[in-house]
Amino acid sequence: MANSTLRWGLFYLVTLPLLGVSLLVAVGIGSTELPWETILRVLLARLLPEGWISTEGISNADAVIVWMIRLPRALVAALVGAGLALAGAIMQGLFRNPLAEPGLAGAGAGAVFGAVLAFVAGWSATTVITLPVCAIAGSLLSLLLVYAMATRAGITPVSTLLLAGIAVSSLLSAVSSLLISLNIMNWQVAQEIVFWMMGGLEARTWTHVWLCAPLVALGAVFALLHARELDLLQQGEDVAAAFGVDVESDKRMFIFLAALLTGASVAVAGSVAFVGLVAPHAVRMLLGPSSRTLLPASALGGATFLVLCDLLARVVHPPTELRLGVVTALVGGPMFIWLLLRRYREVSA
Amino acid sequence: MTGRAFTKAGRAPFTLLFATAVVLTLMALLTPTAGIVRATRQDVDGPPPFQRPSAQWPRTFNDLDGDAVVLSRPPRRVVSQFWSIDEFLYSLLPPEQIAGVSATAYLPGVSNVHDAVVRHRPVVSSDPERVVAANPELVLVSSSARADMTAVLRSTGIPVYRLSTTFTSLRQIADTILHVGYLTGADAQAERAHQQFLDTLEKARASRPPHIPPPRVLGLGGTFSYGRNTVFHDVVTTVGAINVAAEGGLVGYSAVSTEQILRWDPEWILLAAEQGKEEQVRSRVLNDPAIALTQAVRQGRVVVLDARVYMPMSPYTRRFLEALPSVLYGQ
């Protein structure tokens, strides 16, 4: 017990400052040179009461770059990382499988479908929120389909849920591909779609922050409030029922939360792989499987991971940015293999 | 949302999946049509002819979204976020006034303004941070620019103006010369460039010698061709030729099969390639067994034009209007 508390304490002692430093570095590094003093003064002038920090000598362009371009981007990275990691932790608990990831319930493919539809119909050029709203709508539509297909006589077996999720994901991915192929002659739209599908956080504004933050916060709060139920469901549905858990109702809720978190994340960042798989897996190996510990730690780990990946995407090949989904896959993939090998060695030992 | 509410649907999951597949596929097939309908309404009729504003400043312009952009004086630093807008700007403004261009401007194989951008190094405008740091007084974006990109710039107080860049006729290009010119305060240069464009059009119209029947021309861009309501069609008919794709019923920029090409049997096939890749592009066509049976291939009339000349969708379209008669009529 003392050992796990110590681990828990060490984890937060390391990860919280790491997230803070990562966010600061993400705001500090960009495609134009800005002195650190200017960056700190802009941030503090905005966060503290007016007049406390002098903004003399700071140009409007510098203030705008820090506050309206870099900071929202860093915050969206943290929110998306947290959202995907939480969704992954929920799915891994629900399916009792550490290889489960947020897209299993079809929410990711649904969000991509909604976004692709917005692109080809020209809606993405109208307002900032149209694209993310279409993506969220797509993820919820997908969830409805998956749930409708997997439920019989009021019962939703997890295995059927998984199969329905795979089927709906495949269907929505095929329709998205059909939409792209029918519009490939409009190369600029096709290019936008392909880039979006690879994940990215360029041009993220405070609108994206305010769109994503409440949904991620809602998902996180509800998940944490029902952490006990998730733990019990991991022991099996019979065991959970024996402990008074309304199994079907809670499964619905967790699936909905995972879809909401995934939809909100994909809506503002496109397809970003491996965060939802690697973060909870790594945290589970460090801190154990208890959801009360796992969920907030996964959120923190996922947020830190994605902020760092976005930073890497921006600095590796300047001035071109690598696509965020490519970076998370290139970093997350080997990390995941390493985690699996380590787990295998522990089990073998 | 209770389990019971889904019981009936849950009894036939495969039926539900099949029905969903049908509905979504229909949506996918119809959505491009909706896009085309929108494009057709906007671009076949085209945006209304540009109305010259008064010579005084401030000037108010309504962009493609209907948003009013008020410019108190001619903008001294302008950013373009689209490749054809780059070329409009460089044909009207001194290079020092152009603070940002699309990434395409830096591609030597396709950009007509590459030499100028390499000399003056404007920022690449896909990065909002660089655009803001360049302190522009006006940013011009295309009809398909994403709203979040324009929103970032607007939120910083920079005037952002959405221009129609989906050209389907030469008149629209000519109009846009005036539009961009009056937006940027280059009124006189715009009128001169506009007149030059019209003069080139007139010369192109008179280019076909009367004794030569209208040549039958096919333009190919990969496996796509240019039907009615395209700039290519407008250029080809202006020089007195026949666009076989339009004659065959094609509308807009659409995929064509080799079977269609064989049926249309063009006398000329026009292609585009970057410098150094001409033979690669030509051989792809010549090696197609169906296309090899067309008159164009049998008579050695497969012409590969420089990609910078072949339909630049900007004032540089004049180069295509000047090049095509020399190809078709040996002028």
Side-chain angles (χ1 to χ4, degrees):
Chain A
M1 179 83 165
N3 195 24
S4 65
T5 309
L6 182 66
R7 278 188 176 193
W8 181 90
L10 271 173
F11 176 84
Y12 282 96
L13 203 62
V14 170
T15 318
L16 270 170
L18 183 60
L19 177 61
V21 167
S22 305
L23 283 169
L24 202 56
V25 172
V27 175
I29 292 180
S31 47
T32 56
E33 290 287 325
L34 275 180
W36 275 102
E37 191 222 332
T38 303
I39 293 165
L40 289 169
R41 279 170 63 199
V42 169
L43 290 174
L44 291 172
R46 288 284 192 155
L47 295 169
L48 297 174
E50 202 173 323
W52 282 31
I53 301 288
S54 162
T55 53
E56 205 179 306
I58 296 178
S59 69
N60 186 51
D62 289 350
V64 155
I65 286 170
V66 172
W67 189 256
M68 297 184 106
I69 295 178
R70 292 186 188 179
L71 183 59
R73 178 176 181 147
L75 291 176
V76 168
L79 286 167
V80 168
L84 288 173
L86 270 170
I90 291 170
M91 296 299 271
Q92 287 168 13
L94 197 61
F95 287 100
R96 300 188 286 278
N97 189 324
L99 292 178
E101 49 96 21
L104 271 187
V112 167
F113 166 72
V116 169
L117 194 62
F119 274 115
V120 302
W123 302 331
S124 63
T126 53
T127 66
V128 181
I129 62 164
T130 311
L131 179 62
V133 163
C134 287
I136 291 170
S139 70
L140 293 176
L141 164 75
S142 169
L143 169 68
L144 278 175
L145 275 171
V146 167
Y147 195 78
M149 282 176 55
T151 302
R152 294 188 191 190
I155 310 283
T156 315
V158 163
S159 53
T160 318
L161 199 60
L162 176 64
L163 292 171
I166 291 170
V168 170
S169 290
S170 302
L171 169 64
L172 290 173
S173 297
V175 177
S176 299
S177 298
L178 175 63
L179 279 170
I180 295 168
S181 69
L182 290 173
N183 287 275
I184 202 83
M185 71 282 280
N186 188 340
W187 64 271
Q188 203 196 356
V189 170
Q191 185 187 51
E192 297 260 15
I193 294 173
V194 168
F195 273 4
W196 186 88
M197 285 172 70
M198 291 187 203
L201 294 173
E202 66 280 357
R204 292 304 175 264
T205 64
W206 283 106
T207 303
H208 296 92
V209 175
W210 300 132
L211 187 66
C212 185
L215 297 175
V216 171
L218 191 73
V221 164
F222 269 82
L224 275 168
L225 287 175
H226 293 88
R228 175 183 166 271
E229 285 85 343
L230 188 61
D231 280 335
L232 289 170
L233 280 170
Q234 286 188 70
Q235 306 308 314
E237 292 180 16
D238 294 338
V239 170
F243 276 87
V245 173
D246 183 347
V247 171
E248 292 307 317
S249 171
D250 282 350
K251 269 196 303 196
R252 270 197 301 275
M253 179 195 61
F254 283 122
I255 287 286
F256 177 72
L257 287 178
L260 185 70
L261 288 164
T262 308
S265 302
V266 174
V268 297
S271 293
V272 178
F274 276 100
V275 181
L277 187 55
V278 170
H281 203 84
V283 169
R284 188 179 295 106
M285 288 176 73
L286 287 171
L287 301 180
S290 163
S291 296
R292 199 157 276 146
T293 323
L294 183 68
L295 290 173
S298 295
L300 188 59
T304 310
F305 176 69
L306 203 64
V307 171
L308 289 171
C309 282
D310 186 48
L311 199 55
L312 200 63
R314 285 191 282 143
V315 304
V316 159
H317 193 252
T320 320
E321 281 185 24
L322 301 181
R323 304 310 299 167
L324 183 59
V326 171
V327 174
T328 57
L330 286 174
V331 172
M335 258 181 77
F336 191 60
I337 293 168
W338 177 78
L339 289 169
L340 283 177
L341 286 174
R342 196 183 132 175
R343 185 182 151 96
Y344 176 71
R345 263 186 251 117
E346 284 171 7
V347 165
S348 302
Chain B
M1 200 166 81
T2 64
R4 277 195 191 162
F6 285 93
T7 299
K8 283 183 186 167
R11 281 189 196 136
F14 296 111
T15 310
L16 179 63
L17 185 64
F18 181 73
T20 309
V22 168
V23 167
L24 288 175
T25 306
L26 281 174
M27 275 176 66
L29 290 169
L30 288 174
T31 299
T33 307
I36 287 167
V37 166
R38 191 175 144 207
T40 301
R41 191 174 59 235
Q42 190 183 83
D43 296 309
V44 171
D45 301 337
F50 177 68
Q51 300 291 334
R52 292 167 174 77
S54 79
Q56 308 302 319
W57 295 82
R59 291 180 179 171
T60 301
F61 298 88
N62 289 315
D63 76 354
L64 201 63
D65 294 334
D67 295 330
V69 174
V70 180
L71 299 171
S72 56
R73 59 159 187 242
R76 289 167 297 189
R77 296 176 64 75
V78 183
V79 166
S80 153
Q81 284 201 324
F82 193 64
W83 57 274
S84 70
I85 300 176
D86 302 335
E87 296 187 354
F88 278 98
L89 289 179
Y90 274 96
S91 65
L92 297 171
L93 298 177
E96 304 77 41
Q97 243 181 286
I98 301 165
V101 292
S102 71
T104 310
Y106 279 93
L107 298 178
V110 296
S111 169
N112 282 296
V113 300
H114 176 257
D115 290 344
V117 302
V118 162
R119 266 201 308 277
H120 295 275
R121 316 285 328 178
V123 300
V124 173
S125 56
S126 53
D127 182 350
E129 195 170 314
R130 286 177 192 265
V131 172
V132 170
N135 275 321
E137 293 179 0
L138 179 65
V139 175
L140 300 177
V141 302
S142 71
S143 20
S144 53
R146 266 170 57 182
D148 46 12
M149 185 64 84
T150 58
V152 162
L153 297 174
R154 282 197 174 113
S155 67
T156 65
I158 299 171
V160 178
Y161 191 87
R162 194 185 288 270
L163 266 176
S164 173
T165 49
T166 317
F167 302 115
T168 58
S169 72
L170 292 165
R171 177 196 69 79
Q172 289 167 8
I173 295 177
D175 250 15
T176 306
I177 294 173
L178 291 174
H179 199 159
V180 172
Y182 278 89
L183 260 174
T184 55
D187 303 3
Q189 296 91 311
E191 293 292 349
R192 266 199 305 275
H194 182 250
Q195 190 54 52
Q196 243 180 344
F197 197 83
L198 295 181
D199 291 343
T200 307
L201 267 181
E202 274 313 303
K203 197 172 164 193
R205 279 194 191 107
S207 60
R208 179 169 71 87
H211 64 278
I212 296 181
R216 296 167 52 72
V217 176
L218 175 75
L220 278 181
T223 54
F224 289 81
S225 186
Y226 316 88
R228 256 185 322 113
N229 303 336
T230 61
V231 168
F232 179 86
H233 176 74
D234 212 359
V235 169
V236 164
T237 51
T238 297
V239 304
I242 295 171
N243 178 9
V244 299
E247 191 185 56
L250 207 70
V251 178
Y253 181 53
S254 289
V256 289
S257 65
T258 47
E259 192 182 303
Q260 281 173 300
I261 296 172
L262 190 54
R263 287 202 187 284
W264 294 337
D265 196 22
E267 292 166 2
W268 293 87
I269 293 178
L270 300 181
L271 307 161
E274 292 180 36
Q275 273 183 336
K277 293 186 182 168
E278 296 89 345
E279 277 319 302
Q280 197 182 330
V281 168
R282 190 197 312 273
S283 60
R284 231 183 279 140
V285 166
L286 297 179
N287 290 339
D288 186 300
I291 302 179
L293 296 174
T294 58
Q295 287 184 66
V297 174
R298 284 187 282 115
Q299 290 167 16
R301 290 179 180 162
V302 175
V303 179
V304 182
L305 293 170
D306 189 320
R308 292 167 296 183
V309 171
Y310 189 78
M311 296 218 306
M313 301 291 202
S314 70
Y316 289 90
T317 306
R318 286 178 47 221
R319 298 172 72 182
F320 190 35
L321 280 163
E322 286 160 357
L324 195 52
S326 68
V327 166
L328 297 178
Y329 313 125
Q331 291 171 0

